Amino acid sequence: LVVGDPLDAATDVGPLAPAGDPARLAALVDDAVAAGARVAGTRASVPDNGHWFAPAVLVDVPAAAAASRDEVFGPVAALSTYDDLDDAVAQHRATGYGLAGYVCGTDVEAAREVSRRLRAGIVGINTGTPNYPGAPFGGLGLSGTGYEGGPQGLEAFQTWRTTAVVGGAAS
């Protein structure tokens, strides 16, 4: 992936907003590698000035690694395999987070069954982009508060008021 100016059509990944994010993401990758994960492939080069982080795909990430149990919010993918689906779902639920979940597979009905077991505000089956402006999007558990998008997101900007009047003359 090309890391660079988001206005350049050749760019795949732009800069990070918070100045501390490159160091935070590097610490997540280092922690995962120290716990036994490995970085797949090669890392992209990044521009010299600004807040950049080369995308990283971590393979065989132990459940104890921060990249596996915390929300990353950056170009880091923590992958791990499983032998027992119940254990995989239990690991997901044990994090306490539930912003989004993703299920991939050729048996869509089986994927739907797995998606029902996930504790997430939005789930993509065979897609990395399950949300769109008309769909409510928000997390469960430790993942945020409220929703954006769809009618549920608009409710966050509404205020309700009840006025009760007893007696008095009508004007």
Side-chain angles (χ1 to χ4, degrees), residues 3-118:
V3 179
D5 182 349
L7 298 177
D8 183 344
T11 296
D12 298 303
V13 179
L16 301 169
D21 265 10
R24 180 183 64 80
L25 294 172
L28 284 173
V29 170
D30 291 346
D31 172 71
V33 170
R38 61 184 170 83
V39 178
T42 58
R43 305 283 304 279
S45 61
V46 298
D48 292 329
N49 297 315
H51 312 300
W52 310 95
F53 191 78
V57 176
L58 302 170
V59 180
D60 299 326
V61 182
S68 182
R69 69 175 193 275
D70 294 343
E71 292 180 318
V72 174
F73 293 117
V76 176
L79 308 177
S80 47
T81 59
Y82 63 89
D83 292 319
D84 184 286
L85 182 58
D86 292 335
D87 287 344
V89 171
Q91 283 183 27
H92 151 73
R93 294 177 72 91
T95 68
Y97 292 101
L99 185 57
Y102 305 91
V103 181
C104 299
T106 56
D107 183 340
V108 175
E109 276 311 306
R112 285 180 191 272
E113 285 300 317
V114 172
S115 77
R116 289 183 190 101
R117 298 174 62 190
L118 298 180

Side-chain angles (χ1 to χ4, degrees), residues 94-154:
T95 68
Y97 292 101
L99 185 57
Y102 305 91
V103 181
C104 299
T106 56
D107 183 340
V108 175
E109 276 311 306
R112 285 180 191 272
E113 285 300 317
V114 172
S115 77
R116 289 183 190 101
R117 298 174 62 190
L118 298 180
R119 186 171 185 266
I122 194 165
V123 177
I125 297 176
N126 294 330
T127 180
T129 55
N131 52 329
Y132 62 94
F137 178 74
L140 303 176
L142 300 173
S143 293
T145 58
Y147 281 82
E148 60 186 61
Q152 294 81 352
L154 291 175

